[in-house]
Amino acid sequence: MLGKKVEESLNEQMNRELYSAYLYMSMSSYCTSKGLKGFANWFMVQYHEEMFHAMKFYEYINLQGGRALLKAISQPPSAFESPLDMFGKTLEHEQYITKSINELMELAIAGKDHATQIFLQWYVTEQVEEESNDNEIIAQLKIINDDPQGIMLLDRELAGRITTVPTEFSKGVQAAAKGQGA
Ligand code: FEO
């Protein structure tokens, strides 16, 4: 069973994850419009990751006798200056998500909600990976320094990223995750 405040905060975090998906979908569309197919692929894979994150909250809230509430999703930015600008904004956003996950964890600890703490641990680990991925690409983009040849080489590399999370949730997230080993 969830406390009222925890349930509200879990719902807010689900909305942040849905916004994240929306943001990366917007970035993917921008990359496609600029002919950067590999960057577009990277951000579309990221979109799927975020939908998985959101669906995990959706299922957990309902599993614990609460109710997942779908609120309005804010409009994401649609114009960017460069790949470095996009990844800078991605890292900034992920740092904000990390902070909100940590605040949620503190709330669960204060309320002695052990089940929610265990549930949130997955996100704590995931955020370390998300920030590290962004930092790695930002470092490469700084070396490339807007050189078109370097951008095209990185674009080719990012085209290889594949979706490893479930994308079909009709039978629930847990069933989908078991099916895909996520
Ligand atoms: Fe779901 Fe990228 O944080």
Side-chain angles (χ1 to χ4, degrees):
M1 188 191 155
L2 297 172
K4 204 72 209 141
K5 180 76 189 124
V6 170
E7 183 178 340
E8 275 171 23
S9 300
L10 288 167
N11 267 307
E12 281 165 17
Q13 189 61 33
M14 177 176 71
N15 184 273
R16 287 187 197 103
E17 302 290 347
L18 288 168
Y19 173 79
S20 303
Y22 218 32
L23 172 66
Y24 298 137
M25 196 180 188
S26 176
M27 288 180 175
S28 183
S29 173
Y30 175 84
C31 293
T32 300
S33 76
K34 297 289 174 193
L36 296 168
K37 283 187 182 175
F39 282 89
N41 172 68
W42 194 94
F43 281 111
M44 199 49 91
V45 171
Q46 197 58 32
Y47 155 83
H48 285 301
E49 294 252 342
E50 300 301 347
M51 287 305 293
F52 178 56
H53 298 175
M55 286 305 297
K56 278 173 73 75
F57 276 104
Y58 175 95
E59 186 159 287
Y60 179 73
I61 295 164
N62 286 335
L63 193 70
Q64 282 281 55
R67 171 136 180 246
L69 286 173
L70 284 297
K71 297 183 184 167
I73 304 167
S74 306
Q75 183 176 343
S78 55
F80 307 92
E81 286 166 21
S82 63
L84 184 57
D85 176 46
M86 261 185 307
F87 274 95
K89 288 193 165 81
T90 297
L91 178 62
E92 215 172 276
H93 180 68
E94 289 303 328
Q95 287 167 339
Y96 160 71
I97 294 291
T98 300
K99 190 166 168 281
S100 62
I101 293 284
N102 288 341
E103 284 168 2
L104 202 41
M105 181 65 102
E106 277 155 30
L107 192 67
I109 291 169
K112 297 187 170 53
D113 181 343
H114 297 281
T116 299
Q117 288 174 51
I118 291 167
F119 170 73
L120 290 172
Q121 267 166 16
W122 183 89
Y123 289 89
V124 172
T125 310
E126 178 69 10
Q127 283 310 117
V128 174
E129 192 188 316
E130 296 247 321
E131 287 189 29
S132 160
N133 288 344
D134 298 338
N135 275 317
E136 208 174 291
I137 296 172
I138 286 171
Q140 284 176 282
L141 284 167
K142 282 184 177 164
I143 294 167
I144 290 168
N145 195 22
D146 277 342
D147 170 50
Q149 212 174 341
I151 294 284
M152 290 322 289
L153 274 174
L154 183 58
D155 190 66
R156 216 175 291 166
E157 186 187 321
L158 298 184
R161 186 182 189 198
I162 55 165
T163 303
T164 55
V165 295
T167 55
E168 208 285 293
F169 304 111
S170 311
K171 292 184 174 59
V173 176
Q174 287 181 16
K178 271 181 206 147
Q180 296 203 13

